[in-house]
Amino acid sequence: MMKVAVFVKATKSSEAGQMPDEKLMADMGKFNEELVQAGIMKAGEGLKPSSQGVRVRFRGTDRTVTDGPFAETKELVAGFWLWEVQSMQEAIDWVKRCPNPMIEDSDIEIRPLYEMEDFSESDPTGQVGDQEAGLREQITMQQSEVQPYLFFGGRCDEALAFYEQAIGATVLMKMRFSESPDPLPEGMLEPGLEEKVMHASFQVGKMTLMASDGCGEATAHQGFRLALSVENQSVCDRVFAALADGGNVDMPLDKTFWSPRFGMLTDKFGIGWMVMVPGAES
């Protein structure tokens, strides 16, 4: 595999800030979708005209900033993709399938990216390469995401329905063990649990959580709570009461120094919650 940067070169219309029409937007959207589905596109963005950009000139220790616009439109870039392809020919084949990204005649340029092995003569000990690998791992972790995964010991359907009613959760997907595309390992699932939930995801506000019935083992939810923040005090009161229905109130809703409304509860499935209105009492 090789990485290539694919540059959409600027034109008079792009430098003038002329936006694409509805058809071109739809055609480019379809092309990007094909790139993503093929596993080729890793990133891609359009750039505003150079009149909204700056250039920084390096001369020794001096740095000079020049405001756009810049001359020689044909040397400017209006957008880019980052692709991972098998060969330069594959990249060329994909570019040939691209709709003309501009109103007038235009150019798309393909440039291979350097890999660290290309710098082996300048990095004989491999120290810089190791540093770059560490930085890439750091970037990967900065973009990573932690999501709660809740196991309900056979009550997942009931729990999802409860959260839909109590706090307006939206179930995004649900798969049962019987629907698994791959056979389960021998002895993993106790008899009679085939129609239990193997995996589900649901959304509460801006957060996505995952859930399962598990494989028959007992579940215990200890050492954590889900913190639910809502802007409105009356809504806070309602969802607190709804979540507490059938469960236990661990700390009644009240004013604290960090929140005008804060309380803790454990719902009937053993999930601990902190429900609050964010911000200190004004």
Side-chain angles (χ1 to χ4, degrees):
M1 299 295 289
M2 63 183 296
K3 291 181 180 179
V4 296
V6 182
F7 298 109
V8 178
K9 305 305 284 286
T11 62
K12 289 183 178 179
S13 65
S14 69
E15 278 294 281
Q18 188 169 347
M19 303 302 289
D21 61 23
E22 186 175 348
K23 182 179 184 307
L24 180 53
M25 285 289 289
D27 289 345
M28 291 301 294
K30 182 180 179 182
F31 179 65
N32 284 335
E33 184 177 359
E34 292 173 356
L35 289 169
V36 171
Q37 290 177 348
I40 288 172
M41 181 173 165
K42 304 305 177 183
E45 299 290 348
L47 304 180
K48 292 186 176 181
S50 67
S51 58
Q52 300 186 43
V54 299
R55 282 182 177 170
V56 180
R57 174 75 173 178
F58 289 73
R59 177 171 293 172
T61 58
D62 294 334
R63 306 291 184 267
T64 305
V65 178
T66 304
D67 294 328
F70 307 117
E72 298 297 331
T73 299
K74 64 181 181 180
E75 300 300 327
L76 299 175
V77 174
F80 70 92
W81 288 281
L82 181 62
W83 293 351
E84 192 168 42
V85 292
Q86 294 285 350
S87 64
M88 179 63 83
Q89 186 58 53
E90 184 181 17
I92 293 170
D93 292 341
W94 275 100
V95 168
K96 286 182 175 180
R97 294 171 56 180
C98 181
N100 184 353
M102 298 297 176
I103 299 170
E104 63 270 68
D105 292 349
S106 64
D107 294 300
I108 292 180
E109 179 181 335
I110 308 171
R111 298 270 296 276
L113 272 64
Y114 279 114
E115 301 290 345
M116 277 310 300
E117 52 263 31
D118 296 320
F119 299 98
S120 58
E121 291 186 6
S122 303
D123 182 29
T125 66
Q127 183 176 354
V128 177
D130 291 343
Q131 180 188 27
E132 286 295 314
L135 290 173
R136 291 185 182 185
E137 181 176 336
Q138 184 177 345
I139 291 171
T140 299
M141 290 309 301
Q142 287 174 344
Q143 296 173 340
S144 65
E145 183 178 355
V146 175
Q147 292 177 273
Y149 203 120
L150 307 177
F151 293 89
F152 289 100
R155 302 180 68 190
C156 191
D157 278 317
E158 183 186 352
L160 293 174
F162 174 73
Y163 296 134
E164 284 181 306
Q165 182 275 327
I167 53 178
T170 300
V171 177
L172 304 176
M173 69 84 65
K174 183 164 56 176
M175 176 185 290
R176 303 189 184 280
F177 287 103
S178 62
E179 299 170 331
S180 174
D182 296 322
L184 298 176
E186 187 72 26
M188 178 180 176
L189 192 67
E190 294 182 7
L193 298 183
E194 293 80 8
E195 295 308 310
K196 292 297 183 179
V197 177
M198 176 181 178
H199 174 72
S201 63
F202 64 104
Q203 189 168 12
V204 179
K206 299 177 182 179
M207 186 175 187
T208 300
L209 302 93
M210 295 181 285
S212 173
D213 273 315
C215 296
E217 69 273 18
T219 59
H221 305 286
Q222 298 177 341
F224 78 97
R225 289 181 186 268
L226 299 179
L228 176 61
S229 297
V230 294
E231 299 292 333
N232 183 285
Q233 292 195 36
S234 62
V235 174
C236 180
D237 291 350
R238 186 195 67 75
V239 299
F240 186 90
L243 286 170
D245 186 21
N248 297 305
V249 174
D250 304 313
M251 175 181 174
L253 281 171
D254 204 350
K255 181 176 72 173
T256 67
F257 71 87
W258 67 85
S259 170
R261 209 84 176 123
F262 176 88
M264 296 192 294
L265 63 96
T266 302
D267 69 27
K268 61 183 178 181
F269 302 100
I271 304 296
W273 294 83
M274 296 187 295
V275 183
M276 71 196 80
V277 175
E281 179 77 5
S282 59

